[in-house]
Amino acid sequence: KHQGSVAVNLGFQSIDSQSALRWGSKITRRAYKTIEIALVAFVALYAVLRWLDTFNLPADGTNYITAALNLVKTGKLFIFVNWPSYSGEPLIEPFTEYPPGLPLFLAPFIFIFREPMLATAIAHSITVLIFYTIVYLFCRSLHLNPFLRVLVLVLLTFFRTFEIIHSKFWSESLFI
């Protein structure tokens, strides 16, 4: 037997204390890992649900959606404007005021779901989940312990800057 171990007779087989400790530590690590993943998923899901609860579409966001919708329908990236027109009739203006990344990202969602608001909600929710995944993986690469990894995500969830950014459909969601 191992030095310092105690044999335990369970009636069918004997298990020494060293084996029991190794077996217990595997369960403990697995349980901690499961709890950590569940907490990370809960925090990320909470961030998505909080955004879906407010579903804020500023003017920039509606331009992105319109440009993506026009891209899906016509194959051209443009928006309708009426402010340079004295007649008040909508004019076609190429989408050059903003970078085209967000409409290009959103277009496949509009093509698949056929409903712009649903597509926008799904696309933005995915960007938030990707953001949380990247932050989580970054914290793992820094070898932070599980408690700190979850704490970082919780702090980001309630940090006012990220709350504002993730509460609106802006292009920042793709790169922040």
Side-chain angles (χ1 to χ4, degrees):
K1 293 292 176 186
H2 301 291
Q3 191 176 31
S5 67
V6 177
V8 178
N9 188 349
L10 297 177
F12 298 100
Q13 64 184 28
S14 67
I15 300 174
D16 64 87
S17 60
Q18 295 293 330
S19 297
L21 286 175
R22 282 193 301 274
W23 183 73
S25 65
K26 287 180 185 177
I27 291 174
T28 304
R29 274 188 253 132
R30 189 175 302 145
Y32 282 135
K33 187 73 169 167
T34 302
I35 291 169
E36 177 187 4
I37 296 298
L39 287 173
V40 167
F42 175 76
V43 170
L45 184 63
Y46 176 78
V48 168
L49 292 176
R50 188 173 60 182
W51 176 75
L52 289 175
D53 185 46
T54 58
F55 201 73
N56 194 341
L57 288 176
D60 295 2
T62 57
N63 279 335
Y64 296 130
I65 294 168
T66 302
L69 187 61
N70 291 335
L71 180 63
V72 169
K73 287 183 176 180
T74 68
K76 297 178 182 172
L77 199 59
F78 68 90
I79 57 173
F80 292 103
V81 295
N82 64 359
W83 59 267
S85 166
Y86 289 109
S87 68
E89 293 294 318
L91 299 173
I92 292 177
E93 179 180 297
F95 190 75
T96 57
E97 186 176 349
Y98 304 105
L102 189 54
L104 293 174
F105 173 76
L106 183 58
F109 291 94
I110 291 176
F111 180 77
I112 292 168
F113 295 104
R114 300 289 181 196
E115 164 52 45
M117 292 300 114
L118 175 64
T120 301
I122 292 170
H124 188 69
S125 298
I126 287 172
T127 62
V128 172
L129 292 175
I130 290 171
F131 171 77
Y132 275 79
T133 302
I134 289 170
V135 170
Y136 173 75
L137 293 174
F138 178 70
C139 290
R140 282 186 61 111
S141 74
L142 294 176
H143 303 290
L144 296 179
N145 70 39
F147 175 77
L148 289 177
R149 292 191 292 248
V150 172
L151 183 62
V152 166
L153 293 176
V154 168
L155 291 175
L156 283 178
T157 301
F158 295 103
F159 185 55
R160 186 71 180 142
T161 303
F162 287 105
E163 182 181 347
I164 291 169
I165 290 170
H166 290 158
S167 70
K168 295 178 175 32
F169 185 67
W170 284 339
S171 62
E172 284 83 346
S173 302
L174 283 178
F175 59 86
I176 292 183

